Amino acid sequence: MQKDIFIGDVQSGGHDGQRIELKGWVNRARGSNKIWFIVLRDSTGRIQCVAKREDIGDESFEALKGALIETSVVISGTVNVDERSEGGHELIIDSATIIGPVNPDNPFPITESAMANADGGETEFLLDNRHLYLRTARMTHMLKIRSSVFGAIHNYFRDRDFTEYQAPNFVAGAVEGGSTLFEVPYFGRKAYLTQSWQLYAEAAMPALERLYTIAPSFRAEKSRTRRHLTEFWHAEMEIAWAGNDDVMVHGEGVVRHIARTLLDERSDELESLGRDLDLVANYADNPYPRMRYDEAVETLQGMGVKIEWGQDLDYSKEKVLTQDFDVPHFLTHYPRIAKPFYHRPDPDDPKYVLCHDLLAPEGYGEIIGGGERTWSEQEILERIEEEGTPREPYEFYIDVRKYGGVPHGGFGLGVDRVCSWLAGAEHIREVIPFPRDSRRVTP
Ligand code: ATP
Ligand code: MG
Protein backbone atom coordinates (compact mmCIF):
# COMPACT_ATOMS: atom_id res chain seq x y z
CA MET A 1 0.00 0.00 0.00
CA GLN A 2 3.05 2.26 0.07
CA LYS A 3 2.74 5.46 -1.88
CA ASP A 4 5.21 6.06 -4.71
CA ILE A 5 4.11 9.29 -6.30
CA PHE A 6 3.29 12.58 -4.66
CA ILE A 7 1.31 15.39 -6.26
CA GLY A 8 4.14 17.86 -5.74
CA ASP A 9 6.40 15.75 -8.01
CA VAL A 10 3.70 15.57 -10.67
CA GLN A 11 3.26 19.34 -10.58
CA SER A 12 7.04 19.77 -10.90
CA GLY A 13 6.88 17.95 -14.23
CA GLY A 14 8.33 14.63 -13.09
CA HIS A 15 5.64 12.46 -14.70
CA ASP A 16 4.43 14.28 -17.80
CA GLY A 17 2.62 11.96 -20.19
CA GLN A 18 2.94 8.97 -17.84
CA ARG A 19 0.21 6.75 -16.51
CA ILE A 20 0.44 6.94 -12.73
CA GLU A 21 -1.42 6.15 -9.52
CA LEU A 22 -2.16 8.93 -7.02
CA LYS A 23 -3.35 8.52 -3.45
CA GLY A 24 -4.97 11.40 -1.65
CA TRP A 25 -8.10 13.19 -0.49
CA VAL A 26 -10.86 14.96 -2.40
CA ASN A 27 -10.37 18.66 -1.91
CA ARG A 28 -13.04 19.99 -4.24
CA ALA A 29 -15.41 18.46 -6.77
CA ARG A 30 -17.81 19.62 -9.45
CA GLY A 31 -19.12 18.56 -12.85
CA SER A 32 -22.03 17.15 -14.77
CA ASN A 33 -23.49 13.76 -15.52
CA LYS A 34 -20.86 13.18 -18.19
CA ILE A 35 -17.68 14.71 -16.82
CA TRP A 36 -16.48 15.07 -13.22
CA PHE A 37 -13.61 17.24 -11.94
CA ILE A 38 -11.92 16.41 -8.67
CA VAL A 39 -9.18 18.47 -7.13
CA LEU A 40 -7.11 15.87 -5.31
CA ARG A 41 -4.81 16.92 -2.47
CA ASP A 42 -2.04 15.23 -0.61
CA SER A 43 0.65 16.49 1.74
CA THR A 44 2.58 18.03 -1.15
CA GLY A 45 -0.03 19.85 -3.21
CA ARG A 46 -3.16 19.72 -5.33
CA ILE A 47 -3.97 18.57 -8.84
CA GLN A 48 -7.13 18.58 -10.92
CA CYS A 49 -8.28 15.11 -12.00
CA VAL A 50 -10.85 14.66 -14.77
CA ALA A 51 -13.19 11.67 -15.14
CA LYS A 52 -15.41 11.05 -18.14
CA ARG A 53 -18.31 8.65 -17.77
CA GLU A 54 -17.57 7.11 -21.15
CA ASP A 55 -13.95 6.34 -20.16
CA ILE A 56 -14.37 4.89 -16.69
CA GLY A 57 -17.85 3.35 -16.79
CA ASP A 58 -21.03 4.08 -14.86
CA GLU A 59 -20.10 2.38 -11.62
CA SER A 60 -16.77 4.18 -11.08
CA PHE A 61 -18.22 7.44 -12.32
CA GLU A 62 -21.10 7.34 -9.82
CA ALA A 63 -18.72 6.39 -7.01
CA LEU A 64 -16.50 9.38 -7.77
CA LYS A 65 -19.49 11.69 -8.08
CA GLY A 66 -20.61 10.60 -4.62
CA ALA A 67 -17.18 11.17 -3.08
CA LEU A 68 -17.52 14.13 -0.71
CA ILE A 69 -14.80 16.50 0.41
CA GLU A 70 -12.04 14.66 2.34
CA THR A 71 -12.96 11.24 0.99
CA SER A 72 -9.73 9.31 0.53
CA VAL A 73 -9.22 7.82 -2.93
CA VAL A 74 -6.73 6.02 -5.13
CA ILE A 75 -6.84 7.33 -8.67
CA SER A 76 -5.03 6.10 -11.77
CA GLY A 77 -4.70 8.07 -14.94
CA THR A 78 -2.46 9.88 -17.38
CA VAL A 79 -0.68 13.15 -16.62
CA ASN A 80 -1.44 15.94 -19.07
CA VAL A 81 0.44 19.19 -19.23
CA ASP A 82 -2.28 21.83 -19.14
CA GLU A 83 -1.46 25.49 -18.67
CA ARG A 84 -4.98 26.34 -17.54
CA SER A 85 -4.99 23.93 -14.59
CA GLU A 86 -3.69 24.82 -11.13
CA GLY A 87 0.00 23.88 -11.12
CA GLY A 88 0.09 23.36 -14.87
CA HIS A 89 -0.96 19.69 -14.89
CA GLU A 90 -4.06 17.56 -14.77
CA LEU A 91 -4.74 13.86 -14.51
CA ILE A 92 -7.10 12.13 -16.95
CA ILE A 93 -8.65 9.41 -14.80
CA ASP A 94 -9.03 5.86 -16.06
CA SER A 95 -9.86 4.19 -12.77
CA ALA A 96 -10.61 5.19 -9.20
CA THR A 97 -11.19 3.43 -5.88
CA ILE A 98 -12.75 4.99 -2.82
CA ILE A 99 -10.73 4.05 0.29
CA GLY A 100 -12.31 6.02 3.15
CA PRO A 101 -15.77 7.41 2.35
CA VAL A 102 -17.40 10.42 4.02
CA ASN A 103 -20.98 10.05 5.18
CA PRO A 104 -23.27 12.62 3.45
CA ASP A 105 -25.14 13.09 6.77
CA ASN A 106 -21.92 14.30 8.31
CA PRO A 107 -19.88 16.27 5.76
CA PHE A 108 -16.44 17.70 6.48
CA PRO A 109 -17.15 20.76 8.64
CA ILE A 110 -14.20 22.95 7.68
CA THR A 111 -15.58 24.70 4.62
CA GLU A 112 -14.18 27.72 2.85
CA SER A 113 -16.98 29.87 4.20
CA ALA A 114 -16.34 28.67 7.76
CA MET A 115 -12.71 29.71 7.31
CA ALA A 116 -13.58 33.01 5.68
CA ASN A 117 -15.78 33.87 8.64
CA ALA A 118 -13.14 32.79 11.04
CA ASP A 119 -10.94 35.85 10.98
CA GLY A 120 -7.49 34.30 10.57
CA GLY A 121 -8.55 30.89 11.77
CA GLU A 122 -9.03 31.84 15.38
CA THR A 123 -12.67 31.34 16.08
CA GLU A 124 -13.79 28.82 18.62
CA PHE A 125 -15.33 26.70 15.87
CA LEU A 126 -12.01 26.15 14.15
CA LEU A 127 -10.28 25.56 17.47
CA ASP A 128 -12.93 23.00 18.45
CA ASN A 129 -12.28 21.27 15.14
CA ARG A 130 -8.53 21.68 15.23
CA HIS A 131 -8.00 17.97 14.51
CA LEU A 132 -9.71 18.52 11.14
CA TYR A 133 -8.50 22.06 10.53
CA LEU A 134 -4.94 20.71 10.38
CA ARG A 135 -5.63 19.42 6.85
CA THR A 136 -6.31 22.82 5.37
CA ALA A 137 -3.67 24.36 3.11
CA ARG A 138 -3.07 27.12 5.63
CA MET A 139 -2.27 24.76 8.51
CA THR A 140 -0.27 22.42 6.28
CA HIS A 141 1.93 25.36 5.27
CA MET A 142 2.32 26.42 8.90
CA LEU A 143 3.29 22.91 10.00
CA LYS A 144 5.92 22.64 7.28
CA ILE A 145 7.37 26.01 8.17
CA ARG A 146 7.43 24.88 11.79
CA SER A 147 9.29 21.71 10.87
CA SER A 148 11.92 23.71 9.00
CA VAL A 149 12.35 26.02 11.99
CA PHE A 150 12.99 23.04 14.29
CA GLY A 151 15.44 21.58 11.75
CA ALA A 152 17.28 24.89 11.42
CA ILE A 153 17.75 25.18 15.18
CA HIS A 154 19.14 21.66 15.46
CA ASN A 155 21.46 22.27 12.52
CA TYR A 156 22.70 25.58 13.83
CA PHE A 157 23.78 24.11 17.16
CA ARG A 158 25.00 20.76 15.92
CA ASP A 159 27.13 22.41 13.25
CA ARG A 160 28.83 24.29 16.07
CA ASP A 161 29.51 21.23 18.23
CA PHE A 162 26.76 21.84 20.77
CA THR A 163 25.50 18.70 22.53
CA GLU A 164 21.76 18.17 22.78
CA TYR A 165 20.84 17.68 26.43
CA GLN A 166 17.56 16.96 28.25
CA ALA A 167 16.35 18.28 31.61
CA PRO A 168 13.44 17.00 33.74
CA ASN A 169 9.94 18.39 33.21
CA PHE A 170 8.85 17.84 36.83
CA VAL A 171 10.75 20.30 38.99
CA ALA A 172 10.74 21.76 42.50
CA GLY A 173 11.60 25.41 41.80
CA ALA A 174 10.71 28.30 39.54
CA VAL A 175 12.94 29.80 36.86
CA GLU A 176 10.67 32.59 35.73
CA GLY A 177 8.81 33.53 38.92
CA GLY A 178 6.08 31.77 40.88
CA SER A 179 3.07 33.41 39.30
CA THR A 180 3.22 31.30 36.15
CA LEU A 181 4.06 27.97 37.77
CA PHE A 182 1.81 24.99 37.07
CA GLU A 183 1.50 22.95 40.23
CA VAL A 184 1.04 19.19 39.95
CA PRO A 185 0.26 16.75 42.78
CA TYR A 186 3.30 14.53 43.17
CA PHE A 187 2.77 11.59 45.55
CA GLY A 188 1.67 13.68 48.47
CA ARG A 189 4.04 16.52 47.64
CA LYS A 190 3.90 19.42 45.24
CA ALA A 191 5.87 19.51 42.06
CA TYR A 192 5.78 21.97 39.17
CA LEU A 193 5.96 21.71 35.43
CA THR A 194 9.19 23.23 34.22
CA GLN A 195 9.25 26.79 32.89
CA SER A 196 12.72 26.38 31.42
CA TRP A 197 15.59 23.93 30.99
CA GLN A 198 18.11 26.45 32.15
CA LEU A 199 18.90 25.59 35.76
CA TYR A 200 19.49 21.95 34.92
CA ALA A 201 21.52 22.91 31.86
CA GLU A 202 23.81 24.97 34.02
CA ALA A 203 24.52 21.84 36.05
CA ALA A 204 25.78 20.12 32.89
CA MET A 205 27.70 23.16 31.65
CA PRO A 206 30.99 22.03 33.26
CA ALA A 207 30.53 18.62 31.63
CA LEU A 208 29.52 19.61 28.10
CA GLU A 209 30.54 23.29 27.82
CA ARG A 210 28.21 23.87 24.82
CA LEU A 211 24.71 22.45 25.11
CA TYR A 212 21.22 23.04 23.74
CA THR A 213 17.72 21.63 23.71
CA ILE A 214 14.35 22.01 22.07
CA ALA A 215 11.69 21.01 24.58
CA PRO A 216 8.30 22.10 25.87
CA SER A 217 8.10 24.64 28.69
CA PHE A 218 4.98 25.29 30.73
CA ARG A 219 3.72 28.59 32.08
CA ALA A 220 0.38 29.37 33.64
CA GLU A 221 -0.05 32.56 31.62
CA LYS A 222 -3.22 34.31 32.66
CA SER A 223 -2.81 37.23 30.33
CA ARG A 224 -3.87 36.04 26.92
CA THR A 225 -1.85 37.76 24.22
CA ARG A 226 -1.11 36.86 20.64
CA ARG A 227 2.29 35.54 21.72
CA HIS A 228 1.59 33.51 24.89
CA LEU A 229 0.74 29.83 25.19
CA THR A 230 0.64 27.78 28.39
CA GLU A 231 2.66 25.01 26.72
CA PHE A 232 5.27 26.24 24.27
CA TRP A 233 8.40 24.91 22.60
CA HIS A 234 11.55 26.35 23.99
CA ALA A 235 14.94 26.23 22.27
CA GLU A 236 17.57 26.90 24.89
CA MET A 237 21.35 26.97 24.90
CA GLU A 238 24.05 27.27 27.52
CA ILE A 239 27.72 27.95 26.89
CA ALA A 240 30.74 27.93 29.20
CA TRP A 241 33.50 30.55 29.20
CA ALA A 242 31.11 33.08 27.73
CA GLY A 243 29.66 36.46 28.59
CA ASN A 244 26.52 38.32 27.56
CA ASP A 245 28.00 39.42 24.22
CA ASP A 246 29.09 35.91 23.26
CA VAL A 247 25.61 34.59 23.97
CA MET A 248 24.01 37.32 21.83
CA VAL A 249 26.20 36.30 18.90
CA HIS A 250 24.53 32.88 19.00
CA GLY A 251 21.05 34.34 19.45
CA GLU A 252 21.51 36.46 16.37
CA GLY A 253 23.17 33.56 14.58
CA VAL A 254 20.38 31.10 15.16
CA VAL A 255 17.58 33.52 14.26
CA ARG A 256 19.31 34.56 11.04
CA HIS A 257 19.94 30.92 10.23
CA ILE A 258 16.25 30.13 10.75
CA ALA A 259 15.21 32.97 8.43
CA ARG A 260 17.70 31.81 5.77
CA THR A 261 16.52 28.20 6.06
CA LEU A 262 12.89 29.26 5.59
CA LEU A 263 13.81 31.18 2.44
CA ASP A 264 15.65 28.11 1.11
CA GLU A 265 13.09 25.48 2.10
CA ARG A 266 9.72 27.20 2.47
CA SER A 267 9.44 30.20 0.14
CA ASP A 268 6.40 28.69 -1.56
CA GLU A 269 4.61 28.16 1.72
CA LEU A 270 5.50 31.65 2.97
CA GLU A 271 4.25 33.22 -0.23
CA SER A 272 1.03 31.23 -0.12
CA LEU A 273 0.49 32.64 3.36
CA GLY A 274 0.97 36.14 1.94
CA ARG A 275 4.35 36.72 3.60
CA ASP A 276 6.67 39.31 2.06
CA LEU A 277 9.89 37.37 1.34
CA ASP A 278 11.95 40.56 1.24
CA LEU A 279 11.21 41.11 4.92
CA VAL A 280 12.36 37.60 5.76
CA ALA A 281 15.52 38.10 3.65
CA ASN A 282 16.19 41.27 5.62
CA TYR A 283 16.07 39.28 8.85
CA ALA A 284 18.48 36.71 7.40
CA ASP A 285 21.00 39.08 5.85
CA ASN A 286 21.41 42.09 8.13
CA PRO A 287 23.03 42.42 11.56
CA TYR A 288 20.90 42.99 14.65
CA PRO A 289 21.65 46.22 16.53
CA ARG A 290 22.04 46.36 20.32
CA MET A 291 20.43 48.95 22.54
CA ARG A 292 20.55 49.38 26.31
CA TYR A 293 17.38 49.20 28.36
CA ASP A 294 17.79 52.85 29.43
CA GLU A 295 17.77 53.98 25.82
CA ALA A 296 14.64 51.96 25.11
CA VAL A 297 12.89 53.53 28.08
CA GLU A 298 13.85 57.01 26.91
CA THR A 299 12.68 56.21 23.39
CA LEU A 300 9.34 54.99 24.72
CA GLN A 301 8.94 57.99 26.98
CA GLY A 302 9.69 60.18 23.96
CA MET A 303 6.86 58.41 22.15
CA GLY A 304 4.50 59.27 24.98
CA VAL A 305 4.36 55.75 26.46
CA LYS A 306 3.94 55.63 30.22
CA ILE A 307 6.89 53.69 31.59
CA GLU A 308 9.12 54.13 34.58
CA TRP A 309 12.73 53.11 34.92
CA GLY A 310 12.89 49.70 36.60
CA GLN A 311 9.77 48.24 35.00
CA ASP A 312 10.10 45.22 32.75
CA LEU A 313 8.77 45.80 29.25
CA ASP A 314 5.51 43.99 28.60
CA TYR A 315 3.93 43.21 25.26
CA SER A 316 2.12 46.55 24.95
CA LYS A 317 5.39 48.45 25.28
CA GLU A 318 7.47 46.16 23.10
CA LYS A 319 4.82 46.49 20.44
CA VAL A 320 5.22 50.25 20.26
CA LEU A 321 9.00 50.05 20.44
CA THR A 322 9.38 47.49 17.64
CA GLN A 323 6.78 48.85 15.24
CA ASP A 324 9.39 50.68 13.16
CA PHE A 325 12.34 48.30 13.57
CA ASP A 326 13.58 46.91 10.26
CA VAL A 327 15.42 43.98 11.87
CA PRO A 328 15.35 42.44 15.38
CA HIS A 329 17.10 44.48 18.07
CA PHE A 330 18.76 43.33 21.28
CA LEU A 331 17.84 45.16 24.45
CA THR A 332 20.59 44.76 27.05
CA HIS A 333 21.37 45.77 30.64
CA TYR A 334 17.98 45.64 32.32
CA PRO A 335 17.75 46.97 35.86
CA ARG A 336 18.75 44.40 38.45
CA ILE A 337 15.42 44.86 40.24
CA ALA A 338 13.52 43.76 37.11
CA LYS A 339 15.25 40.38 36.68
CA PRO A 340 15.51 37.08 38.63
CA PHE A 341 18.49 36.11 40.79
CA TYR A 342 20.37 34.08 38.21
CA HIS A 343 21.13 37.17 36.07
CA ARG A 344 24.64 38.40 36.77
CA PRO A 345 24.96 42.00 38.00
CA ASP A 346 27.16 44.14 35.75
CA PRO A 347 30.52 44.57 37.55
CA ASP A 348 30.80 48.05 35.96
CA ASP A 349 27.45 49.16 37.40
CA PRO A 350 25.60 46.67 39.61
CA LYS A 351 22.30 48.55 39.19
CA TYR A 352 22.07 46.59 35.95
CA VAL A 353 22.35 42.93 35.00
CA LEU A 354 24.22 41.45 32.03
CA CYS A 355 21.21 40.23 30.13
CA HIS A 356 19.42 40.64 26.83
CA ASP A 357 16.07 40.24 25.17
CA LEU A 358 15.84 40.00 21.39
CA LEU A 359 12.84 41.95 20.13
CA ALA A 360 11.40 41.11 16.72
CA PRO A 361 10.16 43.89 14.45
CA GLU A 362 6.70 44.56 13.01
CA GLY A 363 5.41 45.12 16.54
CA TYR A 364 6.11 41.49 17.46
CA GLY A 365 8.40 41.93 20.47
CA GLU A 366 10.39 39.43 22.51
CA ILE A 367 11.54 36.19 20.90
CA ILE A 368 14.65 35.53 23.01
CA GLY A 369 15.53 36.12 26.65
CA GLY A 370 19.06 35.43 27.81
CA GLY A 371 22.21 36.60 29.46
CA GLU A 372 25.24 35.90 31.59
CA ARG A 373 24.57 33.86 34.73
CA THR A 374 25.52 34.70 38.28
CA TRP A 375 28.33 32.20 38.46
CA SER A 376 30.16 32.60 41.77
CA GLU A 377 28.82 30.96 44.91
CA GLN A 378 29.03 34.13 46.95
CA GLU A 379 27.21 36.23 44.37
CA ILE A 380 24.39 33.72 43.89
CA LEU A 381 23.82 33.55 47.66
CA GLU A 382 23.59 37.33 47.79
CA ARG A 383 21.18 37.48 44.87
CA ILE A 384 18.92 34.76 46.35
CA GLU A 385 18.88 36.54 49.67
CA GLU A 386 18.15 39.96 48.20
CA GLU A 387 15.29 38.49 46.18
CA GLY A 388 13.88 36.66 49.22
CA THR A 389 13.75 33.37 47.30
CA PRO A 390 13.67 30.17 49.42
CA ARG A 391 17.00 28.40 49.09
CA GLU A 392 15.91 24.83 49.38
CA PRO A 393 14.78 24.09 45.80
CA TYR A 394 17.95 25.70 44.50
CA GLU A 395 20.52 23.88 46.65
CA PHE A 396 21.71 21.90 43.64
CA TYR A 397 22.04 25.11 41.67
CA ILE A 398 24.15 26.72 44.37
CA ASP A 399 26.21 23.54 44.67
CA VAL A 400 27.21 23.70 41.02
CA ARG A 401 28.95 26.99 41.82
CA LYS A 402 31.00 25.52 44.68
CA TYR A 403 33.23 23.51 42.38
CA GLY A 404 35.08 25.46 39.77
CA GLY A 405 32.50 28.03 38.68
CA VAL A 406 33.23 29.72 35.37
CA PRO A 407 31.61 32.59 33.49
CA HIS A 408 28.79 31.22 31.36
CA GLY A 409 25.48 32.17 29.89
CA GLY A 410 22.67 31.18 27.62
CA PHE A 411 19.31 32.04 26.21
CA GLY A 412 15.80 30.73 25.63
CA LEU A 413 14.11 31.22 22.29
CA GLY A 414 10.36 30.76 21.91
CA VAL A 415 10.14 28.48 18.87
CA ASP A 416 6.41 29.07 18.35
CA ARG A 417 6.98 32.80 18.62
CA VAL A 418 9.68 32.71 15.97
CA CYS A 419 7.44 30.63 13.69
CA SER A 420 4.58 33.03 14.21
CA TRP A 421 6.66 36.15 13.57
CA LEU A 422 8.48 34.78 10.49
CA ALA A 423 5.31 33.31 8.97
CA GLY A 424 3.47 36.57 9.58
CA ALA A 425 0.75 34.86 11.63
CA GLU A 426 -1.78 36.98 13.48
CA HIS A 427 -1.62 34.79 16.57
CA ILE A 428 0.79 32.25 18.06
CA ARG A 429 -2.05 29.70 18.05
CA GLU A 430 -1.81 29.53 14.28
CA VAL A 431 1.60 27.86 14.25
CA ILE A 432 1.21 25.02 16.76
CA PRO A 433 -0.94 21.97 15.99
CA PHE A 434 -2.92 21.88 19.24
CA PRO A 435 -2.56 25.21 21.05
CA ARG A 436 -2.93 25.34 24.82
CA ASP A 437 -4.02 28.45 26.65
CA SER A 438 -5.81 29.29 29.87
CA ARG A 439 -9.18 28.40 28.37
CA ARG A 440 -8.40 25.38 26.26
CA VAL A 441 -6.88 21.91 26.64
CA THR A 442 -9.02 20.25 23.97
CA PRO A 443 -8.98 18.72 21.44
P1 ATP B 1 7.13 37.49 28.09
O1 ATP B 1 7.61 38.71 28.84
O2 ATP B 1 6.75 37.76 26.70
O3 ATP B 1 6.13 36.68 28.85
P2 ATP B 1 9.35 36.13 29.23
O4 ATP B 1 10.25 37.24 29.61
O5 ATP B 1 8.49 35.52 30.26
O6 ATP B 1 8.44 36.55 27.97
P3 ATP B 1 11.55 34.28 29.04
O7 ATP B 1 11.30 33.78 30.39
O8 ATP B 1 12.73 35.11 28.80
O9 ATP B 1 10.24 35.02 28.49
O10 ATP B 1 11.53 33.01 28.05
C1 ATP B 1 12.38 32.90 26.93
C2 ATP B 1 11.59 32.92 25.65
O11 ATP B 1 10.55 31.94 25.67
C3 ATP B 1 10.87 34.21 25.38
O12 ATP B 1 11.71 35.15 24.78
C4 ATP B 1 9.76 33.78 24.45
O13 ATP B 1 10.24 33.72 23.12
C5 ATP B 1 9.43 32.39 24.93
N1 ATP B 1 8.23 32.40 25.78
C6 ATP B 1 8.14 32.77 27.07
N2 ATP B 1 6.90 32.60 27.54
C7 ATP B 1 6.16 32.13 26.50
C8 ATP B 1 4.80 31.74 26.35
N3 ATP B 1 3.96 31.81 27.37
N4 ATP B 1 4.39 31.29 25.15
C9 ATP B 1 5.25 31.20 24.13
N5 ATP B 1 6.54 31.54 24.19
C10 ATP B 1 7.01 31.99 25.37
MG1 MG C 1 6.49 35.59 30.54
Side-chain angles (χ1 to χ4, degrees), residues 176 219 221 228:
E176 265 302 303
R219 298 190 187 181
E221 307 279 1
H228 285 95

Side-chain angles (χ1 to χ4, degrees), residues 317-338:
K317 298 184 183 73
E318 289 178 7
K319 191 175 166 181
V320 178
L321 186 66
T322 61
Q323 208 75 61
D324 300 324
F325 284 180
D326 48 356
V327 290
H329 283 48
F330 283 103
L331 246 60
T332 66
H333 299 83
Y334 281 64
R336 176 183 186 136
I337 49 170

Side-chain angles (χ1 to χ4, degrees), residues 176 219 221 227-230 232 234 312-313 318 339 357 366-370 412-414 416-417 428:
E176 265 302 303
R219 298 190 187 181
E221 307 279 1
R227 62 177 210 189
H228 285 95
L229 295 163
T230 52
F232 68 96
H234 209 169
D312 210 352
L313 302 186
E318 289 178 7
K339 292 287 174 186
D357 281 0
E366 182 181 336
I367 51 174
I368 281 182
L413 170 153
D416 320 274
R417 277 196 195 176
I428 195 168

Side-chain angles (χ1 to χ4, degrees), residues 185-259:
Y186 199 83
F187 306 105
R189 274 175 297 157
K190 277 184 206 162
Y192 305 98
L193 294 179
T194 190
Q195 297 168 309
S196 163
W197 157 100
Q198 179 197 325
L199 304 187
Y200 290 89
E202 286 186 61
M205 175 275 297
L208 299 172
E209 297 189 313
R210 283 168 291 181
L211 53 156
Y212 84 101
T213 199
I214 309 181
S217 281
F218 304 89
R219 298 190 187 181
E221 307 279 1
K222 280 147 220 137
S223 68
R224 287 154 42 89
T225 72
R226 61 186 270 232
R227 62 177 210 189
H228 285 95
L229 295 163
T230 52
E231 176 180 344
F232 68 96
W233 285 79
H234 209 169
E236 298 185 77
M237 66 81 90
E238 201 64 37
I239 183 168
W241 315 103
N244 198 33
D245 290 333
D246 306 308
V247 176
M248 278 190 274
V249 168
H250 285 294
E252 172 171 346
V254 73
V255 174
R256 287 175 61 177
H257 181 67
I258 294 168

